[in-house]
Amino acid sequence: MRIANIMLGKARGGLEQCVVDYAEALTDGSNGVLTVVDPNSPLLPTLRRLAVKTVTFKQRGQWD
């Protein structure tokens, strides 16, 4: 299964933490997981430390 785990928020809160938790839980070898975050996301260092496959996508508006 291929999974896109997307969070374009620029803050760190409960929903944003869920993206980290999901990425870590789903990256167990049986799923292809790609996490997409804003380049300025405070989640990026954590995702990189966990070796989660991550790409950045610039959010253009407040509600994109």
Side-chain angles (χ1 to χ4, degrees):
M1 179 184 325
R2 293 183 180 172
I3 300 167
N5 187 21
I6 303 170
M7 172 51 70
L8 297 177
K10 296 178 185 173
R12 182 159 202 132
L15 287 176
E16 290 80 11
Q17 182 59 45
C18 285
V19 169
V20 173
D21 296 343
Y22 291 156
E24 189 172 20
L26 293 169
T27 305
D28 66 358
S30 62
N31 298 304
V33 180
L34 176 66
T35 300
V36 181
V37 295
D38 188 88
N40 297 317
S41 172
L43 304 175
L44 206 47
T46 303
L47 292 167
R48 287 184 175 150
R49 184 172 34 84
L50 294 171
V52 172
K53 186 175 179 182
T54 307
V55 297
T56 59
F57 184 81
K58 181 69 177 157
Q59 179 177 242
R60 303 232 179 246
Q62 185 176 0
W63 300 105
D64 283 357

